[in-house]
Amino acid sequence: MTLVDIEVGLERQRGVLDLQSIVESAAEFLEDAPARAIIRWAAATFGDRLCLTSSMSDALLIDLVSRVKPGVDVLFIDTGYHFAETIGTRDAVEAVYPVNVINVTPSRTVAEQDRDLGPRLHGRNPDLCCFLRKVEPLNRALEPYLAWVSGIRRDESPTRANTRVVEWDAKRQMVKVNPIARWTQDEVDNYIADNGVLINPLHYDNYPSIGCAPCTRQVAPGEDPRAGRWAGLGKIECGIHL
C-alpha cells in the first residue's frame, strides 16, 4: 500500500465520520419536522449528490421532492419483471414531473439469468432473485451520491417500525432520508387526492403494494396491504431497506 492509498483511505474515513455526525444531529432535530422541511434540509445539505428512489407504485415522493428540488435524479430499478402498468407509471412520471428519471437495470437480463441460474429463480430462491435484480443494481446506481431519499413508512411492516427520518445507511456508507416515515396511510391517501398525484392503476385493482409481477398478487378485503408480496414464501422485504 502506498502513501497515496493511505491518504485516500483516511480522507474517505473522515468523510464517513462527518456524514455520520450529520445524521445523528439531523435525525433528532428533524424528527417532528414536516416532510417538506426534511426534504429542504436534504437538498440544501447534499445538493446534486442527493437522489431519490421510486418503485412507481405512486408518485407521492416524486411530487414532494420535485417541489423542493426540481430536476432531482429519480432512480427506478427496472427488474425486467414489472407489470406493464408500472412501466407506464414510470413513463408518465417522466412526462409530467420536473425530474430526471434514471432507469437502473440488473447486470443480466431475465433471459441471461434463466440461462445461468435456471428459470423462475424468483420462486426457488426469492432472496437471491431480489438481490440480483434489485439490491445489487441499486447499490451500483447509488455510488455517485452522498444521500438518497426513500418513501418507506413506519406503519408499513414490523421491519420498518423503527425507521428514522434521517438514518445512516451503513451497508452503502451513505445517508438515507425518509421524509414520510411518520405518515399514516390516511395521510398518504389525502396527499395523493389533494395534489392530484399520479398513481399506478394497479391500486384500483386491489394491489395496494406493488412489486414484480411474478411475486405480487391481489389482496383480499381485510388482508394486510403487503400480504400480496411474496405470498406463501415467508418473505416481507426485498432487501433494499434491510
Side-chain angles (χ1 to χ4, degrees):
M1 180 179 291
T2 67
L3 182 59
V4 172
D5 293 331
I6 294 173
E7 290 176 347
V8 169
L10 289 173
E11 185 62 32
R12 184 178 297 115
Q13 187 177 31
R14 281 193 292 270
V16 166
L17 292 174
D18 288 343
L19 287 174
Q20 288 177 309
S21 177
I22 288 171
V23 166
E24 290 170 8
S25 58
E28 182 176 352
F29 177 71
L30 295 169
E31 169 60 26
D32 297 318
R36 199 165 294 180
I38 296 169
I39 295 165
R40 279 197 296 268
W41 168 83
T45 303
F46 302 107
D48 289 339
R49 298 194 71 183
L50 174 75
C51 69
L52 68 94
T53 60
S54 176
S55 65
M56 299 300 168
S57 177
D58 59 58
L60 187 155
L61 188 64
I62 292 166
D63 185 274
L64 274 170
V65 178
S66 65
R67 290 173 186 262
V68 174
K69 187 174 173 54
V72 65
D73 289 346
V74 177
L75 307 185
F76 169 70
I77 309 171
D78 189 349
T79 65
Y81 282 121
H82 282 303
F83 291 97
E85 290 88 345
T86 300
I87 299 301
T89 302
R90 177 203 63 190
D91 295 344
V93 161
E94 193 167 24
V96 170
Y97 293 94
V99 297
N100 178 37
V101 176
I102 298 175
N103 209 57
V104 178
T105 56
S107 58
R108 284 182 277 204
T109 65
V110 171
E112 289 169 341
Q113 179 172 291
D114 287 350
R115 178 199 66 201
D116 296 342
L117 300 174
R120 297 185 57 82
L121 181 65
H122 49 78
R124 295 181 288 108
N125 191 338
D127 288 339
L128 178 57
C129 191
C130 283
F131 177 80
L132 294 174
R133 308 211 70 78
K134 291 184 177 181
V135 179
E136 193 278 332
L138 180 62
N139 290 348
R140 281 190 284 107
L142 286 173
E143 286 178 1
Y145 304 97
L146 292 174
W148 63 297
V149 184
S150 157
I152 63 172
R153 306 194 324 270
R154 293 170 184 168
D155 69 348
E156 290 178 311
S157 70
T159 55
R160 301 180 180 185
N162 295 319
T163 298
R164 305 185 76 186
V165 296
V166 181
E167 299 179 319
W168 176 244
D169 186 343
K171 182 167 61 176
R172 301 177 179 93
Q173 295 287 284
M174 63 190 303
V175 179
K176 185 179 181 185
V177 183
N178 308 302
I180 62 170
R182 301 191 314 274
W183 284 26
T184 64
Q185 187 61 52
D186 284 344
E187 288 175 299
V188 168
D189 293 341
N190 290 337
Y191 185 93
I192 288 173
D194 293 345
N195 294 278
V197 172
L198 279 174
I199 68 171
N200 191 316
L202 287 170
H203 283 291
Y204 301 119
D205 197 23
N206 298 322
Y207 287 91
S209 181
I210 303 165
C212 292
C215 300
T216 307
R217 66 161 173 82
Q218 291 171 304
V219 171
E223 275 193 297
D224 184 274
R226 288 181 66 84
R229 302 290 296 277
W230 305 288
L233 296 175
K235 178 177 170 67
I236 59 173
E237 292 280 359
C238 67
I240 285 176
H241 299 292
L242 294 177

